[in-house]
Amino acid sequence: MKSLRLYAILYLIFLYAPIALLPIFAFNDGTVIAFPLKGFTLEWFKELLTIPALHAAVLNSLIIAVSSALIATCLGICAARAGTRFAFPGKKGILGLIMLPLVLPEIIVAVSLLVVLLQLGLPLGSWTVVLGHVLMCTPFSIAILNSAFQSLDVSLEEAAIDLGETRWSSFRLITLPLVMPGIISSLLIAFTISLDEFIIAFFLTGTNPTLPVYIWGQLRFPQKIPVIMALGTILVLASVILLAIAEYFRRRGVARTGQADAGGFL
Amino acid sequence: MKDTLGVERPIIALENVEKYYGEYYALRGISAEIRQGEFFSLLGPSGCGKTTLLRTIAGFEELSGGRLMIDGKDMKRVPANVRPTNMVFQSYAIFPHLTVAENVGFGLRREPLSRDEKARKVAEALEMVGLRGYGARAAHALSGGQRQRVALARALILEPKVLLLDEPLSALDKKMREQMQTELRRLQRQVGITFILVTHDQEEALIMSDRIAVMFEGQIAQLDTPQQLYRRPNTRQVGEFIGVMNFLPATATVSDETHIEVEAAGLGRAVIAPDQLPGGWHPGQTQSVGIRPETMSILFPGETTDRRVAIGTVEDLSYYGDMTYYVVRLDGVDRPMTISMKNLVGRPVLDRGTEARVAWDARSLVLFA
Ligand SMILES: Nc1ncnc2c1ncn2[C@@H]1O[C@H](COP(=O)(O)OP(=O)(O)OP(=O)(O)O)[C@@H](O)[C@H]1O
Ligand SMILES: [Mg+2]
């Protein structure tokens, strides 16, 4: 038992030490990333406000993340509903294929998408990044929404139809509110994934870089590194908050329909 | 519900209704007429197609063949949401994100009623099922029995012509179930709506129904009143499914129009009346007779009777306090039979292995193929 605990602690240190370094150097009053620390400063955070290229990248990333999250969640709703409600030939195989990007190396997905797009002669731009991100996010959305739809009694919608509602209105009045926590959770997770994603964005972006691509570009300039540390600190904080909210909604959804928790991502 | 000739029109008419899922025939030619205002039960073992038939009537399943009429109208291409039926689901299907009142009033959403009228109707419906004052409660926090009542109120608020109930009591514990059985019966008499109840519990069907359709493998084996079903089952299968029935190998011969002579193993010869034969039945087809445990009695030593007497041995017994169930093997028969006896004052409980003199009547024999 003791060695197991030691292992767990070492593992956590290994996992989180690099991330812990981010805020440490973000507030450090020195351009060199090295110990000993010099002193406390907000200089690097202030500098973030003065870089137009950074602001453009942030805006671009936000637009891409919002679009990807919306599209992936809509696709997820359709797939999860079809998967939990109807039986059709090849259902397992089709769902398996949809979930494949979860385990495929991102670089493979990125390169193959790039090849296809270039072959088709389509111009690269924000929309191609959205395309790639939808591909990455949809499996997560499906997994989250599946658990939301699965915990739903099939007769609920039938009961609404029986009481005079149409198919669509019973979906809107009964199913949608009940899976709403799952939808919100899916939107947030997909948004976070898209916001942080680098490889696909790097390959498929046109002239406007996303935030991670911009950061990568700045790493060539050593004097910019403390600023990047500050930016990284903000990003980590934002991601953690978004994921926590997503998990909160997922759990609330499970509790609302009175089911046992089948586990999520967190 | 009388037509122009003054003939009672059935509220539901099933004409050779069929339903198949791919190769599998779930319903194989169901024909029945369900009368206005009756408490009708569909009874049968698991998988016999009860739910399928109920869902076909509700409009959730399309017919593969045959015809379904509700109140004189063909229901082909009439979707579930406009049929004059409402359903109480097995899981109750209470909307968990709504309050009790919102659940009960859900069907009124599309009715052209004022807010006050709707609230009044909801209050009335809650009152009717004994949930007065529960309107503001969250629906997901109710007990099983309360959910059941909410589901009932929700389905009855639209005053359907037919209320469909799919095993509504199976999720309740024994005591609650018995209470709800009485209450459902009372409610049905009060509102006068036709109830169709699906159940696999024969006792429940007998207690509650005006008429019962016994189903096996997608077909109706017998449609009758509870008494008729119990006393005169058409087939061995029905006799076995409803209550307990003992079967003895037998042959029958007709001596004249009104006398049919039966020779049953262990019991001997008996003359029975033609009304003891199932309808459309030729006595020569007889292969066995059935007899219910409570129609026989074991005579205690010294007791005399003017009934017929057969001799056997007590093989086993189960003592239930008010009753004793004896397993008796009649001389010359290889299968033992069950005989139930009330434990009256002064009547001793017999031991295993003692000789049993079994008194029986020719009137209680039922003939089977
Ligand atoms: N959607 C379906 N697809 C294929 N087969 C089905 C479908 N629905 C029902 N069946 C089959 O039809 C048969 C009758 O089912 P049904 O649900 O009507 O039985 P039941 O009498 O209600 O049984 P239970 O008492 O177990 O509820 C079963 O063998 C079932 O497997
Ligand atoms: Mg059923």
Side-chain angles (χ1 to χ4, degrees), chain B residues 191-213:
Chain B
V191 295
I193 290 172
T194 310
F195 277 32
I196 303 182
L197 173 85
V198 160
T199 178
H200 62 254
D201 180 345
Q202 45 101 10
E203 203 174 291
E204 184 170 296
L206 289 179
I207 294 172
M208 302 177 72
S209 325
D210 293 317
R211 289 195 307 153
I212 302 171

Side-chain angles (χ1 to χ4, degrees), chain A residues 152-170 172-178 255-258, chain B residues 55 58 60 80-83 85-89 91-98 103 106-110 140 154-155 158:
Chain A
L152 214 58
D153 180 358
V154 187
S155 16
L156 287 176
E157 250 181 62
E158 280 181 349
I161 292 173
D162 189 55
L163 293 166
E165 297 300 328
T166 60
R167 252 172 209 295
W168 164 243
S169 68
S170 62
R172 190 170 56 79
L173 290 166
I174 304 300
T175 308
L176 214 51
L178 287 172
R256 175 130 59 147
T257 44
Chain B
R55 291 172 54 82
F60 294 126
N81 55 345
V82 295
R83 291 198 185 184
T85 57
N86 282 118
M87 185 140 165
V88 174
F89 290 81
S91 61
Y92 307 148
I94 301 295
F95 307 133
H97 57 305
L98 303 180
N103 262 280
F106 192 85
L108 299 178
R109 256 176 50 87
R110 285 165 185 258
H140 64 82
R154 186 178 69 180
L158 287 169

Side-chain angles (χ1 to χ4, degrees), chain B residues 50-52 90 166-167 198:
Chain B
K50 309 178 294 285
T51 299
T52 307
Q90 185 163 9
D166 191 359
E167 310 218 14
V198 160

Side-chain angles (χ1 to χ4, degrees), chain B residues 116-192:
Chain B
D116 288 347
E117 277 175 298
K118 286 183 185 176
R120 190 179 49 77
K121 279 198 146 201
V122 169
E124 268 174 24
L126 283 174
E127 173 90 53
M128 184 172 65
V129 296
L131 284 182
R132 177 202 213 136
Y134 278 70
R137 294 241 192 142
H140 64 82
L142 296 176
S143 74
Q146 290 166 339
R147 278 158 186 268
Q148 152 102 76
R149 288 159 199 267
V150 172
L152 266 172
R154 186 178 69 180
L156 283 172
I157 203 165
L158 287 169
E159 294 164 25
K161 296 210 165 90
V162 180
L163 184 73
L164 308 167
L165 305 111
D166 191 359
E167 310 218 14
L169 307 178
S170 62
L172 303 179
D173 61 46
K174 189 163 184 283
K175 216 165 155 208
M176 194 73 207
R177 191 157 64 226
E178 280 164 7
Q179 188 189 336
M180 283 310 293
Q181 282 170 355
T182 338
E183 209 159 314
L184 263 183
R185 201 60 251 244
R186 175 192 62 78
L187 202 61
Q188 194 267 337
R189 293 213 184 91
Q190 183 188 330
V191 295

